[in-house]
C-alpha cells in the first residue's frame, strides 16, 4: 500500500534564504474527487480547504457546479475541482452532468476516487473505476473515506478489495489512502500525497482565495442546500436556485451596509410548491433564515434575502430551461 508511512513534507526543515539547486520547486495544479454520489467528496474538499466551499448534503447529486476549493501551502497550491457524481443517466440533466465529469477528468493533474469505508464495493464503483481505467495518463489515488465509521478489520478488507479492483481493470493506484474528513484523520497526509503529482509552477490564484466560484453561484448553492433540508425524500433533484440580483441597499451609512439579494427557487410541478413553502409559509421562512446566516458568513456583510418559489415545468428534461438555470 505504501500510503500509511509517508513522511509529512511540511515538517521538513526549510531555509528562509534563496532556494538551492536541490530544493523542491513550487508546484501548482488541479485535482478532482470522483465517486458515487454521497462518497464524501464535498466533505473532503471542505476539510482540505478548511472552510465550507462545496455544498454537502445527505441527498446524492446536490453538487451541480464545479466548485473549486483552493489549498494554499508554502510549497504548493492545490486546486480542487468538485464534480457532480458520475452515474448512469436517466435524464438530459444526468447526461450533461456526466459529460462535465469526463471533461474534468481529462483536464486535471490527479484524480482522487472516493470510496466509503463503510460500504462494500458495488456496481456503481465498478462503473466509475472502468471509466477511470480508460484515462491512461492521469495518476489515480484511491481515497477510502468515512474511516471513522468502521473497525480496523473492515477497513483492511476494504483496502485489499480496492487494490484488487484496480488490478482487475488493468491499472495500479498511485496511492490508497484511508481518511476521515469528519474526524480530521489523514486529511493532511492526503494533501501531502497529492502535491508531488502536480506540475511545477507558480501559484495560479492569489493567496487567500478559497474558491473561484462566482459569489452568486455559491449563494444559490447555499439556498438550495437549505431548501433541500427536510424534503430530500420528496424533492431530491427537483430544486434549482437562481440568484436574480444582488444590490447594495441605497441610503445606508457606510458602517451599516445591507445587501439586497433576490433569488428564485425553481421546482418542476405546481404540486411541489406547498412542500417548499410549508404550512403558512413556515418552511420557506426557515430556508431564508438558515441560508441568510450562511450567506452573511460567506460575504461578511448583512443581507436582506428575498425568496420566491416558481414552477419551471420538467426543467431537468428541457434543454432551454437547463441553460436558463445554469446547466
Amino acid at each position: 500500500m505504501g500510503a500509511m508511512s509517508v513522511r509529512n513534507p511540511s515538517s521538513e526543515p526549510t531555509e528562509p534564504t534563496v532556494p538551492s539547486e536541490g530544493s523542491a520547486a513550487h508546484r501548482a495544479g488541479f485535482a478532482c474527487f470522483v465517486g458515487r454520489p454521497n462518497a464524501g467528496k464535498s466533505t473532503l474538499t471542505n476539510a482540505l480547504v478548511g472552510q465550507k466551499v462545496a455544498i454537502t448534503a445527505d441527498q446524492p447529486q446536490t453538487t451541480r457546479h464545479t466548485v473549486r476549493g483552493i489549498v494554499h501551502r508554502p510549497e504548493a497550491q492545490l486546486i480542487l475541482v468538485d464534480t457532480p457524481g458520475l452515474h448512469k443517466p436517466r435524464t438530459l440533466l444526468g447526461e450533461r452532468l456526466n459529460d462535465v465529469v469526463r471533461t474534468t477528468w481529462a483536464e486535471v493533474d490527479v484524480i482522487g476516487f472516493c470510496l466509503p469505508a463503510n460500504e462494500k464495493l458495488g456496481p456503481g464503483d465498478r462503473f466509475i473505476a472502468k471509466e477511470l481505467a480508460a484515462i491512461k495518463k492521469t495518476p489515480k489515488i484511491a481515497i477510502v473515506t468515512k474511516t471513522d465509521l468502521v473497525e480496523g478489520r473492515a477497513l483492511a478488507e476494504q483496502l485489499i478489495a480496492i487494490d484488487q479492483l484496480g488490478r482487475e481493470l488493468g491499472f495500479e493506484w498511485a496511492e490508497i489512502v484511508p481518511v476521515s474528513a469528519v474526524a480530521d484523520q489523514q486529511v493532511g497526509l492526503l494533501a501531502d500525497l497529492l502535491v508531488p503529482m502536480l506540475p511545477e509552477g507558480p501559484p495560479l490564484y492569489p493567496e487567500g482565495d478559497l474558491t473561484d466560484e462566482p459569489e452568486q453561484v455559491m449563494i444559490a448553492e447555499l439556498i438550495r442546500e437549505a431548501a433541500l433540508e427536510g424534503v430530500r425524500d420528496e424533492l431530491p433533484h427537483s430544486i434549482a436556485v437562481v440568484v436574480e440580483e444582488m444590490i447594495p441597499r441605497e441610503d445606508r451609512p457606510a458602517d451599516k451596509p445591507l445587501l439586497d439579494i433576490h433569488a428564485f427557487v425553481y421546482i418542476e410541478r405546481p404540486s411541489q410548491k406547498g412542500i417548499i413553502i410549508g404550512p403558512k409559509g413556515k418552511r420557506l421562512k426557515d430556508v431564508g433564515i438558515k441560508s441568510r446566516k450562511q450567506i452573511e458568513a460567506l460575504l461578511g456583510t448583512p443581507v436582506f434575502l428575498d425568496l420566491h418559489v416558481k414552477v419551471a415545468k420538467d426543467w431537468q428534461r428541457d434543454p432551454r430551461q437547463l441553460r436558463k438555470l445554469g446547466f
Side-chain angles (χ1 to χ4, degrees):
M1 301 270 163
M4 322 310 160
S5 59
V6 175
R7 69 173 193 263
N8 184 336
S10 58
S11 63
E12 297 289 301
T14 53
E15 287 294 323
T17 50
V18 180
S20 67
E21 289 283 308
S23 74
H26 187 278
R27 294 178 179 272
F30 295 83
C32 78
F33 296 145
V34 303
R36 280 185 292 122
N38 262 7
K41 301 182 294 290
S42 297
T43 310
L44 190 56
T45 298
N46 294 336
L48 278 161
V49 176
Q51 180 166 329
K52 185 167 181 172
V53 289
I55 176 175
T56 55
D58 297 336
Q59 180 56 43
Q61 266 174 265
T62 48
T63 312
R64 291 274 172 88
H65 297 277
T66 304
V67 179
R68 291 180 176 82
I70 302 164
V71 183
H72 298 276
R73 287 185 157 207
E75 80 285 9
Q77 189 177 73
L78 172 66
I79 299 141
L80 302 168
V81 186
D82 198 38
T83 57
L86 188 80
H87 59 288
K88 293 203 164 88
R90 290 189 298 273
T91 62
L92 181 61
L93 173 65
E95 282 173 36
R96 290 231 175 136
L97 292 178
N98 278 358
D99 290 343
V100 167
V101 176
R102 291 193 189 95
T103 309
T104 305
W105 290 4
E107 291 169 353
V108 296
D109 301 299
V110 53
I111 299 169
F113 184 14
C114 294
L115 297 135
N118 62 332
E119 293 173 33
K120 286 216 173 342
L121 299 184
D125 298 314
R126 288 180 186 279
F127 173 72
I128 294 170
K130 236 182 212 161
E131 294 266 342
L132 281 177
I135 295 169
K136 301 289 180 212
K137 287 184 182 152
T138 317
K140 294 166 271 289
I141 287 185
I143 304 167
V144 188
T145 58
K146 309 185 184 185
T147 56
D148 53 302
L149 301 179
V150 295
E151 297 297 316
R153 189 173 166 190
L155 177 58
E157 284 172 7
Q158 185 74 323
L159 294 173
I160 292 163
I162 290 166
D163 187 44
Q164 282 174 342
L165 176 63
R167 290 176 200 277
E168 275 169 38
L169 295 170
F171 71 89
E172 200 172 325
W173 301 106
E175 299 281 356
I176 300 177
V177 199
V179 302
S180 167
V182 172
D184 195 22
Q185 290 166 344
Q186 305 236 105
V187 174
L189 171 66
L190 174 61
D192 295 342
L193 295 173
L194 291 168
V195 163
M197 299 182 188
L198 307 177
E200 291 183 5
L204 301 169
Y205 288 87
E207 182 90 40
D209 280 11
L210 294 175
T211 172
D212 77 343
E213 274 294 287
E215 282 173 345
Q216 275 176 261
V217 173
M218 292 186 75
I219 289 165
E221 292 280 73
L222 290 172
I223 296 168
R224 188 168 180 275
E225 183 177 17
L228 272 171
E229 231 158 82
V231 298
R232 294 210 163 95
D233 297 339
E234 298 160 279
L235 310 176
H237 313 313
S238 305
I239 299 172
V241 175
V242 175
V243 174
E244 290 288 320
E245 58 179 7
M246 294 164 51
I247 347 171
R249 179 83 57 94
E250 288 180 16
D251 308 327
R252 295 283 293 198
D255 59 338
K256 287 191 177 170
L258 184 68
L259 187 67
D260 285 319
I261 297 178
H262 301 277
F264 287 103
V265 178
Y266 286 95
I267 45 178
E268 293 195 293
R269 290 185 289 285
S271 59
Q272 297 168 338
K273 214 167 180 175
I275 300 172
I276 285 287
I277 293 169
K280 295 185 178 169
K282 188 180 181 307
R283 273 219 74 249
L284 190 64
K285 193 177 174 187
D286 290 346
V287 169
I289 291 167
K290 182 164 194 249
S291 53
R292 195 191 78 234
K293 279 185 189 155
Q294 294 196 315
I295 293 164
E296 289 181 339
L298 175 75
L299 301 178
T301 184
V303 160
F304 172 79
L305 182 59
D306 178 37
L307 283 183
H308 292 277
V309 180
K310 273 191 170 183
V311 179
K313 201 170 177 318
D314 291 332
W315 64 264
Q316 294 194 55
R317 297 170 195 279
D318 178 347
R320 200 173 52 82
Q321 300 217 61
L322 280 173
R323 271 198 303 279
K324 184 185 163 196
L325 298 173
F327 300 110

